[in-house]
Amino acid sequence: MFHVFLFFLTLLSCGYAYTTLSDETLKTIPEPGTDFNIKDGALLAPILRPRVPGTPGSTAVLNHFVEFFRTSLPEWRLEFQNSTSKTPATGNELIPFVNLIATRDPPWAPPGDVGRLALVAHYDSKLTPTGFIGATDSAAPCAMLMHAARSIDAALTERWEKMEAEGIGSEGYSGVQGHKGVQILLLDGEEAFMTWTHTDSLYGARSLAAEWEQTPNAAMSTFHNPISSISLFLLLDLLGAKNPTIPSYFRTTHWAYRAMGKLEQRLRALGQFKSSPNHPIKKKKRKAKEDAKKQSNNAKKTALKPRKEPQFLSESNNADTRTRGFVEDDHIPFMLRGVEILHMIPTPFPAVWHTMNDDGEHLDIDTVEDWAKLVTAFTAEWMDLEGFMHTSSATKRRAGEEYAQSDKKKRKSSPDEKSEL
Ligand SMILES: [Zn+2]
């Protein structure tokens, strides 16, 4: 990532109609549970390894994603987008880059008529320092996206079945904005092999954006190519360290930033954010500690004062963004082609950035879980899933366990990792 400054800004009005999620729905957003354990969690642990493009680690992580979608989310359409490139670190050798695209569209909609929320993270890790893990960069964001996808899957099915039963041609279901779909982009080759330049970075994103621009949708489609089908490109990067501050980088998507910030505030107020100092468990612990101290001093027990509530999306209450810089990342090739971007990357970067300390042990798992919940809530609201997100906690746990079991079985049978591709 690289900081640059914005010299011009365009104002576009842009909006998608959806129903606000209710408090009840926000309280039922699934938690990842043990799936985010850094040693054996079904979603996160397999990504916490070096995964430099073109190496066996990269293939293994890609297979993990593919296996997850095939096992848990069979309704998602998987595509690989391949490219090769020389890099300044590898001479004349052509390094392969593989992006994975998982898409879920309404079953009746022609692909060219679907406007999609793209949820994006890069899965490659940096070549140096040797053995670099990149837990925030971006193993944890990949796991967050997997969790979001599985958390909305049943609700999407139910909503679309209801729409079909009611007659999908009704007003509000398509029109100029098209039908609404969701897409997960797990991108390769974000990192520079040597030092960040326009040619040594964003290998996967540059190739995907260029290819999609050249791939027209069917004639008479609502959108002319898969790039213009992206209604919002929500990019997660460098997330998973404690107390992040995320500015709003773009005026044209400040409304979407505020929508996410509002969800964050509501989740916090509902006691759903584990990293919050006011989360019921944290408060209980603090109260017990204070009471014990007072008891030993013979002081009177008093009510606990709430701590100041932090906010990841720090500009949520501002009518406009004041940020006049942005961070170079996988959105650039898409932004240059007119895609609207919402970039969830902290400023400043986590202290562990591009060091050996960016590993599983340095993640703040409460924060990772909170991000997963927030991204799920944002996606559920965007996809208009109010009234459909009614998974009970028992079902949630079962779903997690089932996946963990099937994943363990799979790992035990240890297939040839390359055979998937
Ligand atoms: Zn990086």
Side-chain angles (χ1 to χ4, degrees):
M1 266 66 54
F2 192 79
H3 280 277
V4 293
F5 291 92
L6 263 186
F7 292 107
F8 65 91
L9 289 156
T10 46
L11 265 176
L12 278 173
S13 67
C14 179
Y16 257 66
Y18 50 68
T19 312
T20 306
L21 294 183
S22 65
D23 285 357
E24 274 320 297
T25 299
L26 288 181
K27 283 192 254 177
T28 59
I29 301 279
E31 286 180 3
T34 56
D35 289 349
F36 279 7
N37 284 356
I38 61 165
K39 292 288 176 218
D40 55 6
L43 295 194
L44 180 57
I47 317 174
L48 292 172
R49 58 182 291 173
R51 47 198 186 284
V52 175
T55 65
S58 164
T59 310
V61 171
L62 191 57
N63 282 342
H64 164 60
F65 298 141
V66 170
E67 184 60 22
F68 168 76
F69 280 100
R70 289 197 181 145
T71 310
S72 303
L73 302 171
E75 300 291 330
W76 294 62
R77 184 174 77 243
L78 297 186
E79 290 164 77
F80 300 98
Q81 190 270 337
N82 299 287
S83 61
T84 57
S85 178
K86 289 179 188 174
T87 85
T90 49
N92 277 331
E93 195 189 341
L94 285 175
I95 304 297
F97 299 95
V98 187
N99 298 314
L100 177 63
I101 301 116
T103 307
R104 191 143 192 229
D105 289 345
W108 62 79
D113 290 351
V114 182
R116 304 188 185 96
L117 171 64
L119 304 170
V120 191
H122 76 86
Y123 75 87
D124 63 302
S125 65
K126 211 170 165 297
L127 177 65
T128 55
T130 307
F132 175 73
I133 297 292
T136 67
D137 188 8
S138 262
C142 290
M144 293 167 197
L145 296 187
M146 295 167 89
H147 178 69
R150 73 172 175 189
S151 303
I152 58 158
D153 190 56
L156 282 176
T157 304
E158 205 179 304
R159 181 174 200 273
W160 287 338
E161 277 172 1
K162 186 165 179 270
M163 283 169 73
E164 268 186 311
E166 286 172 356
I168 48 167
S170 333
E171 205 185 322
Y173 286 168
S174 60
V176 285
Q177 291 175 336
H179 304 279
K180 268 201 239 183
V182 59
Q183 185 165 60
I184 292 192
L185 309 181
L186 296 166
L187 301 181
D188 199 5
E190 187 267 353
E191 301 284 6
F193 278 68
M194 299 280 269
T195 40
W196 189 279
T197 65
H198 288 256
T199 49
D200 186 19
S201 67
L202 313 181
Y203 293 90
R206 284 188 286 123
S207 170
L208 182 64
E211 187 172 307
W212 274 1
E213 192 180 33
Q214 300 298 319
T215 312
N217 285 334
M220 309 297 289
S221 294
T222 309
F223 302 103
H224 54 269
N225 63 38
I227 292 261
S228 59
S229 298
I230 301 173
S231 42
L232 183 72
F233 188 99
L234 171 52
L235 175 61
L236 310 186
D237 202 359
L238 302 183
L239 301 179
K242 222 177 166 65
N243 300 325
T245 308
I246 319 291
S248 176
Y249 295 100
F250 302 106
R251 292 182 92 174
T252 58
T253 54
H254 188 60
W255 65 275
Y257 174 97
R258 290 189 77 182
M260 196 177 206
K262 181 82 198 158
L263 285 167
E264 182 193 350
Q265 287 169 353
R266 293 180 60 212
L267 284 163
R268 288 179 179 278
L270 291 166
Q272 301 297 305
F273 251 41
K274 283 193 173 173
S275 65
S276 161
N278 300 307
H279 186 274
I281 294 175
K282 297 244 169 80
K283 260 166 62 183
K284 209 170 146 189
K285 275 191 194 154
R286 213 159 62 231
K287 176 95 173 94
K289 223 170 161 182
E290 281 188 20
D291 285 352
K293 211 162 84 191
K294 280 175 182 158
Q295 205 157 16
S296 65
N297 297 342
N298 281 330
K300 214 176 120 201
K301 287 182 192 172
T302 47
L304 200 67
K305 282 194 201 106
R307 294 260 170 100
K308 187 177 182 292
E309 189 63 47
Q311 181 151 25
F312 297 169
L313 278 68
S314 54
E315 293 188 83
S316 300
N317 292 329
N318 302 351
D320 196 357
T321 170
R322 281 182 291 232
T323 306
R324 292 296 174 267
F326 65 93
V327 183
E328 277 195 26
D329 206 346
D330 277 332
H331 59 294
I332 298 290
F334 293 85
M335 190 172 84
L336 292 174
R337 291 167 172 88
V339 176
E340 291 292 341
I341 312 293
L342 182 55
H343 197 189
M344 289 292 127
I345 190 167
T347 295
F349 291 168
V352 295
W353 179 64
H354 284 186
T355 72
M356 289 304 278
N357 280 342
D358 191 3
D359 58 11
E361 283 73 14
H362 286 81
L363 285 173
D364 184 63
I365 294 299
D366 285 349
T367 302
V368 178
E369 289 195 24
D370 291 346
W371 275 115
K373 211 173 236 192
L374 181 57
V375 173
T376 302
F378 181 83
T379 307
E381 195 163 88
W382 186 281
M383 297 306 292
D384 222 347
L385 297 179
E386 175 57 21
F388 300 96
M389 295 282 292
H390 40 61
T391 326
S392 74
S393 43
T395 327
K396 276 184 275 177
R397 270 197 304 277
R398 265 206 309 281
E401 278 161 21
E402 267 163 32
Y403 177 66
Q405 275 165 12
S406 72
D407 190 58
K408 260 179 215 144
K409 262 184 255 156
K410 163 84 187 165
R411 265 183 279 164
K412 251 182 230 158
S413 65
S414 76
D416 173 17
E417 280 172 346
K418 289 219 157 133
S419 66
E420 290 276 355
L421 302 174

